[in-house]
Amino acid sequence: MKKLTRQIKIGSVPIGGGAPCSVQSMCSTDTRDVAATLAQIGRLAEAGCEIVRCAVPDMDAAKALAGIKAGSPMPLIADIHFDYKLALQALESGVDGLRLNPGNIGERWKVAEVVKAAAERQIPIRIGVNGGSLEKELLVKYGHPTPEAMVESALGHVRILEELNYREIKISIKVSDVLRTLEAYRLLSDAVDYPLHIGVTEAGTIFSGTIKSSVGLGILLHQGIGDTMRVSLTGDPVHEVRVAYDILKSLGLRQRGINFVSCPTCGRCQVDLIPVAEEVERRLAHLDKNITVAVMGCSVNGPGEAREADFGIAGGRGEGLLFKHGEILRKVPQDKLADALVEEVLKP
């Protein structure tokens, strides 16, 4: 059962309160380059991204957010560190959310200024605790970024906002280690009812990062923890969105894109299946339909799996059978298998 948390809204996207777990990403472009940033946001939107975040390293970037917000097809979050003036300018530029830690903004009056401006605009704030930037006193107390240390840090930031009567809050609490991330989120989920943004930070490249994120986020989501998520990968952020949806889809939580099934191949396979499977998946990656497409390689499980799918092929000796909704359509030579399957799926 998904934990019922408070609901906030990032633009038009509901977070928490029983809403589906939303998918976020972060631009890798220079925020000051509005055209490049909007081009990347457009590609993220096509992939299904629902919320996008931009780094705000200086005042020029904070001012550039106005142009980005004007052209963005999705809600925009400003990522702020240390300088409260950047947060104020980001709000003036019309962003839909802030990511900052009140504890590193400085004096209490500076935090109060940001909270006042956010409250006037009904803009939520995400408290984002990362193991790599934990407060020095907590590192001294706990020795290193333990789950308990990160939760204490998060609750300290929350307390600052609550004392200012501000509760439009969501929280993230991340390290690159999967097990520590899991324990930290479990502890935090038990301690608060604010919506949680989940992720395994600095997870790695597309290969290793996808594995860490799938394990960590998959476990949290299965346990009912997580109201919005970002998969952090070293690479094109479009991959983050696709991986996020595949994680959600595998747990039956969200549906975007096709359900693609293919066999791992073995000594019984008599068709060169790997390039066929890769080509079919690539050519159908853009498709947002609730269908299953199977690419199978031999007579043991192949025909059965292909019949169970909406569309499928089952390989034989240098050829394969093309299926649609459980019925055999025809035999197809190996070099035409990918074309035949893709064309059948894409028929009006």
Side-chain angles (χ1 to χ4, degrees), residues 288-304:
D288 187 14
K289 286 186 176 181
N290 187 14
I291 59 172
T292 297
V293 177
V295 176
M296 307 303 294
C298 78
S299 59
V300 175
N301 295 318

Side-chain angles (χ1 to χ4, degrees), residues 20-329:
C21 184
S22 59
V23 173
Q24 302 191 25
S25 187
M26 185 170 182
C27 285
S28 58
T29 54
D30 185 335
T31 305
R32 293 162 293 199
D33 188 338
V34 174
T37 301
L38 283 175
Q40 188 171 74
I41 289 173
R43 292 194 301 111
L44 288 167
E46 288 177 5
C49 187
E50 295 166 303
I51 299 169
V52 68
R53 180 160 45 111
C54 288
V56 186
D58 57 30
M59 191 57 72
D60 287 340
K63 291 178 178 178
L65 291 171
I68 296 168
K69 170 61 182 173
S72 176
M74 72 184 85
L76 179 66
I77 293 177
D79 192 278
I80 308 290
H81 290 278
F82 308 120
D83 190 346
Y84 82 106
K85 292 180 181 178
L86 298 181
L88 293 175
Q89 180 57 56
L91 290 167
E92 190 69 29
S93 294
V95 297
D96 301 287
L98 294 176
R99 186 274 194 191
L100 58 82
N101 288 344
N104 71 24
I105 290 295
E107 293 91 335
R108 178 66 170 262
W109 67 266
K110 294 179 180 178
V111 180
E113 288 267 329
V114 174
V115 168
K116 180 175 181 291
E120 288 171 352
R121 297 166 172 82
Q122 295 183 306
I123 300 302
I125 294 173
R126 169 159 74 94
I127 292 168
V129 175
N130 279 11
S133 56
L134 210 60
E135 295 95 321
K136 290 179 181 178
E137 59 270 22
L138 290 176
L139 289 176
V140 171
K141 178 179 178 179
Y142 289 96
H144 64 99
T146 64
E148 294 79 7
M150 290 188 293
V151 170
E152 185 171 331
S153 174
L155 295 180
H157 293 303
V158 167
R159 196 175 306 114
I160 293 171
L161 295 184
E162 288 181 338
E163 288 172 356
L164 292 166
N165 295 315
Y166 194 77
R167 286 175 170 77
E168 293 297 300
I169 299 169
K170 67 180 187 292
I171 311 172
S172 67
I173 186 164
K174 306 177 188 176
V175 287
S176 58
D177 178 81
V178 172
L179 293 178
R180 275 191 292 154
T181 296
L182 290 174
E183 183 59 20
Y185 273 110
R186 289 188 190 115
L187 291 172
L188 183 62
S189 180
D190 288 340
V192 301
D193 65 352
Y194 291 113
L196 301 184
H197 169 102
I198 59 173
V200 179
T201 195
E202 300 149 359
T205 60
I206 291 171
F207 177 77
S208 61
T210 294
I211 294 169
K212 284 184 184 178
S213 298
S214 298
V215 172
L217 301 186
I219 291 172
L220 288 173
L221 289 164
H222 187 61
Q223 293 177 345
I225 298 172
D227 301 288
T228 184
M229 64 188 288
R230 180 197 175 192
V231 173
S232 299
L233 300 176
T234 305
D236 188 331
V238 169
H239 291 296
E240 299 183 349
V241 177
R242 291 175 178 161
V243 172
Y245 274 108
D246 276 347
I247 293 170
L248 291 166
K249 185 166 54 180
S250 70
L251 293 167
L253 298 175
R254 298 285 301 271
Q255 175 61 48
R256 182 178 175 85
I258 66 170
N259 179 33
F260 183 73
V261 178
S262 63
C263 74
T265 77
C266 67
R268 288 186 294 268
C269 189
Q270 299 181 70
V271 63
D272 190 6
L273 196 72
I274 294 172
V276 175
E278 289 175 345
E279 183 179 351
V280 170
E281 185 175 38
R282 176 181 59 79
R283 290 170 63 180
L284 297 179
H286 70 285
L287 205 60
D288 187 14
K289 286 186 176 181
N290 187 14
I291 59 172
T292 297
V293 177
V295 176
M296 307 303 294
C298 78
S299 59
V300 175
N301 295 318
E305 292 282 2
R307 280 195 179 92
E308 288 295 313
D310 296 285
F311 301 90
I313 51 175
R317 188 184 294 274
E319 62 183 9
L321 295 174
L322 177 65
F323 290 84
K324 178 181 179 181
H325 301 307
E327 301 295 327
I328 297 174
L329 297 182

